[in-house]
Amino acid sequence: MTLRSEPAAPPGARIGSVHHVGRFYVTTPIYYVNAEPHLGHAYTTIIGDALCRWHRLLGDDVKYLTGTDEHGLKIQQAADAAGLHPQEFADSIAPKFAEAWDRLDIAYDDFIRTTEPRHAAAVTELLQRCYDAGDIELGTYRGKYCVSCEEYYSAEELLEGDLCPVHKRVVDDVEEENYFFRLSRFQDRLLDWYTAHPDAMVPEFRGNEALGLIKSGLRDFSVSRTSLKWGIPLPWDPDHVTYVWFDALTNYLAAVGFGSNQAEYRDWWPVDYHLIGKDILRQHCVYWPAMLMSAGVDLPKNWAIGGWLLVDGEKMAKSTGNVVTPLDLVDTVGVDGFRYYVLANTAYGHDGDFSYDGIVARYNSDLANNLGNLAARVATVVAKKCGGIGPAPAADSPLAEHAAAAYEATAAAWDIVAPSRALEATWSLIRATNSHLETHEPWKLEPGPEVDAVLGDALEALRIVTLLASPAVPGTAQTIWERIGLDGAVTDQRLPDAAAWGGYPGGRPVEKGAPLFPRISTP
Ligand code: MSP
C-alpha cells in the first residue's frame, strides 16, 4: 500500500492517518543567552527533535530550527555584569547551546542567532511592512516592566507588592517614548482566523488559553525602546531599537530567507509547527499572528504548546536558582535515557514534576526492564537455540496485529504532537512481545521450527519497535538495528511501508552485545 501520491492535498497536509509527504518546518523558541542551557530548554528542544525525526521517517523534507535570542535589556545587563560587550557575551554562551544540543543528539538543521545579518534583514523588512500598513505608531509608555520576561505588566497582572507573576521579582517603573504595535485592532481578525483553523494549536486546552487571552481584550504593545542601544534600529527612526519580542519572533522568518532570500522563503513558509512553552503563549499566539497579518505574511500552520518542568513545584529558571543541567543527567542515564524520560514522562502540554528518583524509576522500568530486556533475551535465545542466526517471522503471527495497532496509534499520537502517547503505543508492542515470549517459553524448548517461529516473530516485533522508538532513542535504535543483523541506518527507513509486518528477512546473525540500559540500583 502506498499512501504517498494523492495529488489533491497540499504538501505536508494530514488527513486521518494518511500522511502526504512534503516540506516540514519546525521551530523551537530561541533561548536567551543570559543563562546556560538547562533541562527546561532541553525539554522543548528534544520534543521538537523527536517530532522532526518522526517526519523524516515519513519521508518529509524537514527543517528543524533552533537558536539564540541575543538582544534586549536582559542580555545587556548580563553582559554588563560579566564586564563584556553584549556581542562578546553572546558569543561566549551561544555555542554552549549548540554543544548541548549536539550532546543530546538533537538533529537541528539550522541554528539562528539574532545578531546575524540575515536576522536584521528580516526584522527590518517586517517592521517596515507593519509601519507602512499603519499598524505601528508613536506613543508614550508609562508602566511596569519585568526585565526577566522582557514584558510589560498591568497592575492587575502583578502579584502583591508589584511582583512579576513569573519571576516573583519587583518590576521596574518605566516611562519612555515608544512605537506601539496596534494590537487592539486585531481582536476580531484573530478570533476569525482561529475559528477558521480550530486545530491550529495543540493541545486543545492550551489553544483555549490563547483564545481566552484574545477574547479578554488586547492592548497595544511597544515595539521599540530609546533607553537601550543593544538591538536592531527601527528603519524609519534609528534613535529607537526594536523591542526584543518583535525582534525575537522574526527569527522564524529570518531563518527561511524572509527579507534576504525570496526563493527559500517561498519554499519553507508558512512554518508547520512552532513549539513553545506556555510562558510565551501570548507572544506567539497573539502578538505574532497579528504582526504577520499586518505585514501580509501567511500565518503559521500550527503551534504546539508545552507545560513546564517543575522542580519542587517551581518552574526551573536561572532566577529561581533551581536549575538542573541536562548534561549531568546524561552521565547517569545516558543520552537516550534522558531523551526518553523527557518525552515519555509528561503528557505534552501539562506541567511535569522533575525528580532524580523519577528519572531513574522510568529508566529502570521502561528501558532496562522492557526494551533492554527484550533485546537481550531475544539475542540470548537466538544464540542458544538458533545458532546465533535470526529466523524469519511468520506472516500470520499473533504479534502482527499488535504491531499494526502500535503503528497506527504511534502515528496518530505524533500527528497531534503527543510524544508520551506515541511512546506508550510503541511500548505496548514491547510488552506484547515480552509476554509472547513468556507464553511460549522458547528457552525451554528443543531447537526446531517451534522455537524458530517464536523467535522470528519476536525479532520482527523488535525491528518494528526499533523503528517506532527511533525518534525518541536514536542511538539505541541504531544499535539494536545492527545487533539483529539489519543493514544501513534506521533513519533511511520510510514509513508506513517499513512498519508493515514481515520486513525482517531472517538468516541474519544476531548479536547480544553489552546491556543497552544497565539497571541503576536505587537505595
Ligand atoms: N527568548 C525567549 C523566546 C523567544 S522565541 C521567539 C525566551 N527564552 S527562554 O530561554 O527564557 O525560554 C524559552 C523556552 O524554554 C520557554 O518558553 C520554554 O519553552 C522553555 N523552558 C524554559 N524553562 C522551562 C521549564 N522549566 N520547563 C519547560 N520548558 C521551559 O523565553
Side-chain angles (χ1 to χ4, degrees):
M1 175 171 59
T2 169
L3 300 171
R4 299 215 182 107
S5 54
E6 273 97 330
R14 296 160 299 153
I15 299 171
S17 62
V18 180
H19 181 77
H20 296 275
V21 169
R23 290 201 175 85
F24 193 72
Y25 175 30
V26 177
T27 68
T28 71
I30 48 170
Y31 302 106
Y32 287 128
V33 287
N34 72 316
E36 301 204 0
H38 61 61
L39 180 60
H41 305 127
Y43 180 67
T44 312
T45 315
I46 289 174
I47 288 169
D49 180 62
L51 177 68
C52 286
R53 286 175 181 275
W54 178 260
H55 277 266
R56 290 192 194 99
L57 286 178
L58 289 172
D60 283 336
D61 185 7
V62 172
K63 188 190 282 289
Y64 185 34
L65 173 71
T66 188
T68 41
D69 192 351
E70 307 188 358
H71 288 135
L73 187 55
K74 180 173 163 125
I75 308 306
Q76 168 86 62
Q77 288 179 347
D80 289 349
L84 292 173
H85 183 274
Q87 184 67 62
E88 278 177 305
F89 178 73
D91 289 347
S92 72
I93 307 281
K96 297 192 180 179
F97 279 89
E99 280 160 27
W101 304 156
D102 290 341
R103 178 79 181 96
L104 294 174
D105 229 345
I106 307 290
Y108 54 91
D109 298 290
D110 196 358
F111 188 105
I112 191 162
R113 298 182 53 187
T114 54
T115 47
E116 289 177 54
R118 62 174 171 161
H119 180 73
V123 172
T124 304
E125 169 87 20
L126 194 70
L127 280 166
Q128 191 67 54
R129 287 209 202 179
C130 296
Y131 188 60
D132 292 346
D135 291 322
I136 293 182
E137 291 169 346
L138 198 58
T140 302
Y141 188 83
R142 271 180 221 93
K144 312 280 187 187
Y145 193 78
C146 170
V147 181
S148 293
C149 295
E150 294 276 18
E151 192 60 80
Y152 292 107
Y153 282 101
S154 66
E156 312 82 74
E157 287 168 328
L158 295 172
L159 305 179
E160 218 181 290
D162 274 2
L163 300 186
C164 159
V166 177
H167 296 92
K168 319 264 162 46
R169 288 172 10 161
V170 179
V171 292
D172 297 331
D173 279 307
V174 173
E175 172 166 353
E176 65 173 6
E177 193 180 60
N178 281 180
Y179 282 92
F180 283 86
F181 181 83
R182 297 298 181 204
L183 184 67
S184 51
R185 296 176 185 161
F186 286 83
Q187 185 174 23
D188 290 343
R189 272 181 277 175
L190 286 170
L191 286 175
D192 288 348
W193 192 89
Y194 279 120
T195 307
H197 301 85
D199 301 326
M201 296 181 282
V202 294
E204 198 184 350
F205 78 100
R206 292 279 175 217
N208 290 338
E209 284 176 21
L211 294 178
L213 289 176
I214 300 170
K215 287 179 186 154
S216 69
L218 298 178
R219 271 181 298 144
D220 298 340
F221 67 90
S222 155
V223 295
S224 74
R225 313 292 302 265
T226 45
S227 55
L228 172 78
K229 295 288 161 253
W230 181 235
I232 298 170
L234 297 186
W236 64 87
D237 189 347
D239 286 343
H240 289 246
V241 300
T242 314
Y243 169 55
V244 66
W245 272 104
F246 196 105
D247 172 330
L249 288 161
T250 310
N251 89 85
Y252 305 131
L253 285 171
V256 292
F258 181 80
S260 64
N261 182 339
Q262 189 59 21
E264 190 189 8
Y265 169 64
R266 262 201 312 270
D267 279 351
W268 288 99
W269 194 263
V271 60
D272 290 273
Y273 268 102
H274 284 316
L275 291 186
I276 59 169
K278 65 176 188 179
D279 48 335
I280 54 178
L281 182 82
R282 178 191 298 275
Q283 292 86 351
H284 281 80
C285 302
V286 186
Y287 294 5
W288 181 229
M291 288 157 59
L292 295 173
M293 282 177 179
S294 168
V297 174
D298 287 343
L299 263 51
K301 290 186 202 157
N302 297 97
W303 291 255
I305 304 141
W308 287 339
L309 278 189
L310 306 173
V311 178
D312 301 328
E314 288 279 340
K315 181 186 178 223
M316 191 179 309
K318 190 182 176 194
S319 49
T320 320
N322 60 355
V323 163
V324 175
T325 307
L327 302 188
D328 296 344
L329 297 167
V330 164
D331 290 342
T332 313
V333 292
V335 171
D336 284 350
F338 176 64
R339 291 175 58 105
Y340 179 81
Y341 170 79
V342 161
L343 289 158
N345 205 54
T346 305
Y348 186 70
H350 294 270
D351 289 345
D353 247 318
F354 170 81
S355 72
Y356 180 80
D357 292 347
I359 193 168
V360 169
R362 273 253 161 215
Y363 170 97
N364 278 339
S365 71
D366 295 7
L367 296 175
N369 291 358
N370 270 302
L371 178 59
N373 183 36
L374 175 64
R377 96 206 288 200
V378 167
T380 305
V381 185
V382 168
K384 283 205 182 116
K385 307 279 176 179
C386 313
I389 303 296
D396 58 352
S397 164
L399 284 177
E401 226 172 90
H402 282 288
Y407 173 71
E408 285 303 327
T410 303
W414 279 120
D415 218 25
I416 51 163
V417 195
S420 64
R421 276 200 249 165
L423 291 171
E424 181 54 37
T426 303
W427 256 247
S428 72
L429 181 55
I430 298 178
R431 284 190 284 272
T433 311
N434 270 326
S435 61
H436 184 70
L437 290 169
E438 274 145 28
T439 306
H440 294 278
E441 299 185 307
W443 43 86
K444 289 190 179 159
L445 304 174
E446 287 306 311
E450 206 183 329
V451 172
D452 288 356
V454 176
L455 267 297
D457 290 352
L459 278 160
E460 171 59 347
L462 183 57
R463 183 191 68 85
I464 295 171
V465 161
T466 302
L467 192 58
L468 301 188
S470 66
V473 290
T476 305
Q478 184 60 34
T479 304
I480 299 177
W481 195 257
E482 289 166 16
R483 284 186 183 177
I484 62 176
L486 294 169
D487 301 325
V490 183
T491 48
D492 293 335
Q493 299 296 308
R494 286 294 161 263
L495 295 172
D497 299 3
W501 186 263
Y504 186 71
R508 300 290 175 95
V510 172
E511 179 200 334
K512 185 164 180 214
L516 294 167
F517 300 105
R519 258 192 87 80
I520 298 172
S521 51
T522 44

